Amino acid sequence: MSGVAIHKFTTAHPGDVDGYKKLPSTCKPEDLVAVIGKTEGNGCVNDFTRMLSSTVWDPLLEASHGISVFSGGTEGVLSPHVSLVIKEADHVTADGSKKYDQGLVAKVGGTRDFEPWEMGTDIQAKVTAETVKKLMAELEVGPDDVHMVLVKCPLLTTAKVVASAKPCVTVDTYKSMGYSRLATAVGIALALGEVTEDGIAGAIDSYGEEGWSSRASCSSGAELENCHVVVLASSKKASNPYRALHGYMADAIDLKVLLDLTSQIPEGAERVQIFVKAEPSTDGLVRGKRHTMMTDSDIQGTRHARAAVGGLVAGVWGESDVYVSGGAEGQGPMGGGSVCVVYKV
């Protein structure tokens, strides 16, 4: 089985594709599996930096039928960047045997397009689950092998709400981002066995408190009508030096889990990337003390959370081009968020 490698490059602007030119000379156009990036927009409905980035990168993904996932918002110390997922041939020894007993693998795909009234509902969750299960089957991995399911999901615009044949989950376009992320995350949880099909409604109705995924990373945007899905897993059928670990932050200041995960990286290994979800706790508290992220009328709460958690993660990782995405509905416990660490031995 051919595995994957991840190469990270900072970007000078949302239209910057110079990282593609810096890939190893052995990398062919059909080897580019996915582009996962952070852009410097506001991360909200009218963040068109995501659309610009996907517009310039998607043509480079045509040969491989790959996908792009761009998350807007690089508040605080976060640096705009792209992580390029490329195919990595198995590493073998001189006698042709495997050099490593495992490796990192990835598979990408997309759901069908969603009708406006389906977004944020159990329909979106079930369709997402079907796609994740299909990709896992193609990778020949089980739920325990999966470290992260990263998804770009759609949102509602005013035009979509007006044109919808049925009532939508909300008419508030910003709130639709959260509902879409939530339904997508619940679908991932269903695919990974973290919730049952009977638990879908409760997970969505409770806004993720009654069911969530510790390995979901979902970002919503107006640049697509379906879900772009990346499944990242470990496989003993692959042979490459890339490894991954996963966990979740219990709240926005959960330094312990970040230190626990990074302490598991072997001495001498190269830190490749860390993927983290962040959100303001909806009860207005962080370890019993009041926060104002949800009551600031000037700056959306997801932007506050992204900046706060981004600073914490960058400090632990030692680099500012880390992937921290705001809005963690159903992607870890309320107020927390999923974490995935990738390194190279």
Side-chain angles (χ1 to χ4, degrees), residues 249 252 276-280 302 305-307 309-310 324-329 335-338:
M249 295 177 69
V276 182
K277 287 298 298 188
E279 71 168 2
T302 51
R306 207 159 36 231
V309 175
V324 178
S325 175
E329 304 85 354
S338 61

Side-chain angles (χ1 to χ4, degrees), residues 1 105 135-146 231 233-235:
M1 176 183 290
V105 295
L135 296 176
M136 288 168 57
E138 291 175 358
L139 279 175
E140 300 180 35
V141 298
D144 292 344
D145 302 315
V146 176
V231 175
S234 293
S235 173

Side-chain angles (χ1 to χ4, degrees), residues 151-202:
V151 179
K152 191 67 190 183
C153 53
L155 54 77
L156 289 171
T157 61
T158 301
K160 290 179 187 177
V161 172
V162 171
S164 180
K166 298 180 182 180
C168 297
V169 67
T170 181
V171 297
D172 186 314
T173 58
Y174 179 74
K175 287 183 179 179
S176 79
M177 299 181 79
Y179 282 117
S180 184
R181 289 189 296 259
L182 171 64
T184 302
V186 172
I188 294 168
L190 177 62
L192 297 179
E194 294 169 300
V195 300
T196 64
E197 192 156 345
D198 291 339
I200 292 176

Side-chain angles (χ1 to χ4, degrees), residues 41 114 186 205 217 288:
F114 292 103
V186 172
D205 291 345
S217 179

Side-chain angles (χ1 to χ4, degrees), residues 121-140:
T121 70
D122 63 327
I123 297 174
Q124 184 176 358
K126 291 175 181 177
V127 171
T128 301
E130 290 171 1
T131 300
V132 174
K133 288 178 180 178
K134 175 178 176 290
L135 296 176
M136 288 168 57
E138 291 175 358
L139 279 175
E140 300 180 35

